[in-house]
Amino acid sequence: SSSSAASDVYKRQVLLPNGEIKQASIQQVGAFSQFAEGYGWLSFDGARQLWIQLFPQPQLAHSKEQWLIDPAFGFGFVTNAKQPKWYEAFLPAGIIGLLIALLAVIGFSIGLARLFSVTKEKKAVKHQALKLSELSEQNMLGRVLLQLKGCTTDQQIEDVIDANISREMPWLNKGIGTLAVLAAIAPLMGLLGTVGGMIETFSVITSQGVTDGELLSGGIAEALLTTKLGLLVAIPLLILHCLVKTQAQQLSEILEHQVTSLVVDIRYGKQA
């Protein structure tokens, strides 16, 4: 909590973590919070009648306008300082966690790039379908229809359509299979890390027994961390894969529908 109460400054001895005792100007607000310039936040040791520099130091801003108060007489500040950083919670995952993170970067890069490309192409094809009189090579439908110019027979039209649509399909399905594979690999890598972690945990049990419950639970928690990371990567990748695949299927259906409709119009026009 914070307070704007006035503080007193006085000279006192401060015990440092390395055992040295230094003279410092201590700024105090009531009985709760103490701060010394150059030494940071302090707590009072009643047994030794000394101020002790908190270690580790809490990353809390110190200002004269507002003062932070720890009603726990320093224990709250120490707890705050010992809280792990967001990335420190994932360090026990080790090399498997690093590989899962690399897989996530590759997978999301491919997925987002393909989703953007296919969505953009879908808009271009829809726009081209509304303006068949102005064909453009900048979209799939325009490229297919441009190849139909000069075709005189139905067989030529069908051959040209099949050849050009077959040429466009590989680009349309590009990256979809890769996303599916990456989404499947992520939880398997997490499971691999968990198996390795459990083997290490049982090795510790074999050598030291099960007297230390905290050590045992900590080892199991670290082992399960890789499974958690694998699922955190696999689930969004699977959703991204479904989005890209759905957009590609819709674009393929639009392309086939527009080309088929045009072929029907050409045939009926010739018959007329």
Side-chain angles (χ1 to χ4, degrees):
S1 59
S2 62
S3 173
S4 58
S7 58
D8 300 323
V9 179
Y10 49 89
K11 290 282 187 178
R12 289 291 187 274
Q13 289 183 330
V14 176
L15 177 63
L16 304 182
N18 59 7
E20 295 183 27
I21 297 178
K22 298 288 186 180
Q23 195 78 7
S25 297
I26 299 176
Q27 189 174 12
Q28 179 178 358
V29 174
F32 299 108
S33 303
Q34 296 79 32
F35 185 88
E37 291 294 340
Y39 299 99
W41 297 97
L42 313 172
S43 65
F44 186 71
D45 187 347
R48 287 179 285 187
Q49 294 295 305
L50 282 174
W51 295 103
I52 301 177
Q53 183 185 32
L54 295 179
F55 183 82
Q57 279 285 307
Q59 301 300 314
L60 301 172
H62 167 246
S63 70
K64 296 180 179 179
E65 289 76 18
Q66 282 204 330
W67 191 264
L68 296 173
I69 291 178
D70 180 10
F73 300 99
F75 290 104
F77 284 166
V78 172
T79 302
N80 176 272
K82 289 183 178 179
Q83 286 183 348
K85 305 294 188 297
W86 66 269
Y87 58 86
E88 292 178 349
F90 299 99
L91 291 180
I95 187 65
I96 298 296
L98 186 62
L99 291 175
I100 293 175
L102 180 62
L103 185 147
V105 172
I106 296 173
F108 286 116
S109 298
I110 294 174
L112 293 175
R114 291 302 302 155
L115 184 61
F116 174 78
S117 299
V118 174
T119 303
K120 182 179 178 181
E121 184 68 20
K122 183 179 176 182
K123 292 181 179 179
V125 168
K126 286 184 176 180
H127 180 73
Q128 180 68 84
L130 298 175
K131 294 186 177 181
L132 294 178
S133 59
E134 302 176 5
L135 300 180
S136 171
E137 291 187 355
Q138 301 303 316
N139 63 86
M140 298 173 66
L141 180 59
R143 288 192 293 271
V144 173
L145 296 182
L146 283 172
Q147 296 297 320
L148 291 177
K149 290 185 175 180
C151 296
T152 55
T153 65
D154 292 346
Q155 187 62 43
Q156 283 182 328
I157 293 174
E158 291 180 2
D159 292 342
V160 169
I161 290 175
D162 291 341
N164 282 275
I165 290 182
S166 298
R167 186 180 61 186
E168 297 289 348
M169 284 301 107
W171 177 89
L172 193 59
N173 296 319
K174 182 180 178 181
I176 294 178
T178 303
L179 281 176
V181 171
L182 294 178
I185 289 177
L188 293 178
M189 291 182 65
L191 183 60
L192 175 63
T194 296
V195 171
M198 293 299 292
I199 292 174
E200 292 181 6
T201 301
F202 286 120
S203 298
V204 172
I205 294 174
T206 303
S207 60
Q208 300 182 13
V210 293
T211 55
D212 192 346
E214 184 177 351
L215 178 63
L216 180 61
S217 61
I220 295 175
E222 291 181 6
L224 294 175
L225 178 60
T226 54
T227 299
K228 175 184 177 181
L229 289 176
L231 293 175
L232 286 175
V233 172
I235 293 173
L237 275 182
L238 189 59
I239 294 174
L240 192 57
H241 166 261
C242 291
L243 289 175
V244 175
K245 187 175 181 179
T246 300
Q247 292 293 324
Q249 288 177 344
Q250 290 178 355
L251 179 55
S252 176
E253 291 172 0
I254 292 172
L255 181 63
E256 292 178 0
H257 173 73
Q258 291 297 328
V259 173
T260 303
S261 299
L262 183 63
V263 170
V264 170
D265 291 341
I266 292 174
R267 286 177 176 175
Y268 277 105
K270 286 182 178 180
Q271 291 176 0

